[in-house]
């Protein structure tokens, strides 16, 4: 897994690599750059690869806790996050794919819930799969790979393309001028919509509307 940034931030994620302190630190470093130096733009996450048998050998709950917090930080970051997936995508790659805003797949992509010993891995990818694509029970329970077309139908991917650069250019044009902080607020409101009733959500939405009106008044 490597990260580099020219203009926008870029993160490359190899799902064949198991969770490790180095992987956690790489993701956290990108988050810190985004929070310190970027108020808008894209965080592009290129994901591919799935774990091999025995990948949990050096993994423990303490490390997993740090990893899940790092993924959650990506999920809440004040930038538009775009994943580009290719080939089989599982493990750390699947975790981060499911935490991004926009997901573009190269033809031939498959989403794979990894298996550990005698069952699918029970990490937070299962939680996100259930919330975002609840019909894919076979993938969550049996580890059956989900091809790109089925993932689009389930809402887990936004598009399958042959030329991801063209799709990224379209996203970048749409994002131009948007505030990362304001986008993060909208993302949170959308996430909470599945958990709260209308009455429970109303106050947070009105507060966001009031904030938007005040921003307009001083612009």
């Amino acid at each position: 897994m490597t990260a580099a940034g020219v203009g926008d931030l870029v993160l490359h994620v190899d799902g064949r690599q198991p969770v490790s302190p180095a992987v956690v630190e790489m993701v956290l470093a990108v988050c810190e750059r985004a929070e310190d130096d970027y108020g808008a733009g894209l965080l592009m996450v290129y994901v591919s690869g799935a774990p091999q048998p025995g990948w949990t050998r050096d993994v423990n709950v303490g490390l997993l806790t740090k990893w899940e917090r790092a993924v959650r930080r990506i999920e809440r970051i004040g930038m538009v996050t775009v994943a580009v997936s290719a080939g089989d995508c599982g493990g750390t790659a699947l975790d981060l794919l499911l935490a991004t805003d926009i997901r573009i797949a190269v033809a031939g992509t498959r989403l794979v819930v990894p298996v550990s010993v005698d069952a699918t891995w029970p990490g937070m990818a299962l939680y996100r799969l259930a919330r975002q694509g609840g019909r894919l029970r076979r993938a969550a329970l049996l580890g059956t790979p989900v091809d790109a077309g089925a993932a689009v139908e389930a809402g887990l991917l936004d598009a399958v393309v042959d030329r991801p650069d063209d799709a990224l250019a379209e996203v970048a044009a749409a994002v131009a001028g948007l505030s990362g902080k304001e986008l993060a607020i909208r993302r949170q409101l959308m996430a909470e919509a599945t958990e709260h009733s209308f009455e429970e959500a109303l106050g947070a939405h009105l507060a966001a509307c009031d904030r938007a009106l005040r921003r307009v008044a001083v612009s």
Side-chain angles (χ1 to χ4, degrees):
M1 180 180 291
T2 60
V6 178
D8 295 313
L9 281 176
V10 180
L11 178 66
H12 293 274
V13 182
D14 185 350
R16 295 172 299 179
Q17 299 180 12
V19 179
S20 68
V23 170
V24 173
E25 288 303 318
M26 181 67 71
V27 173
L28 292 178
V30 169
C31 291
E32 289 170 4
R33 285 195 63 198
E35 292 161 0
D36 291 345
D37 302 326
Y38 292 77
L42 297 178
L43 169 55
M44 295 177 287
V45 185
Y46 290 86
V47 294
S48 63
Q52 301 299 308
W55 67 276
T56 59
R57 187 174 296 111
D58 296 320
V59 174
N60 57 61
V61 172
L63 177 59
L64 290 173
T65 299
K66 294 177 181 179
W67 169 247
E68 296 293 1
R69 287 175 177 167
V71 175
R72 185 60 167 161
R73 195 165 166 186
I74 288 283
E75 201 165 36
R76 293 179 167 181
I77 208 161
M79 298 180 73
V80 175
T81 54
V82 184
V84 177
S85 58
D88 281 358
C89 180
T92 55
L94 180 61
D95 285 341
L96 285 173
L97 169 72
L98 295 176
T100 56
D101 297 318
I102 300 169
R103 300 146 192 187
I104 300 166
V106 176
T109 293
R110 301 194 310 171
L111 308 188
V112 182
V113 178
V115 173
S116 174
V117 185
D118 58 358
T120 51
W121 183 245
M124 290 301 285
L126 287 188
Y127 171 85
R128 293 184 174 90
L129 278 172
R131 287 174 62 92
Q132 301 173 21
R135 291 173 293 169
L136 301 176
R137 292 175 59 82
R138 287 175 60 86
L141 296 176
L142 306 180
T144 305
V146 181
D147 65 36
V152 170
E153 184 179 350
L156 296 176
L157 295 174
D158 293 296
V160 182
V161 301
D162 293 319
R163 296 173 56 87
D165 287 349
D166 292 342
L168 284 171
E170 292 179 6
V171 175
V175 167
L178 296 180
S179 162
K181 185 173 183 179
E182 291 300 311
L183 178 137
I185 293 173
R186 274 60 170 178
R187 185 194 293 134
Q188 185 66 24
L189 291 172
M190 292 174 64
E192 292 173 350
T194 60
E195 304 171 356
H196 297 164
S197 69
F198 178 90
E199 289 74 15
E200 291 171 328
L202 180 59
H205 282 263
L206 289 176
C209 290
D210 179 63
R211 176 183 174 85
L213 290 171
R214 286 187 280 112
R215 286 168 59 83
V216 169
V218 299
S219 62

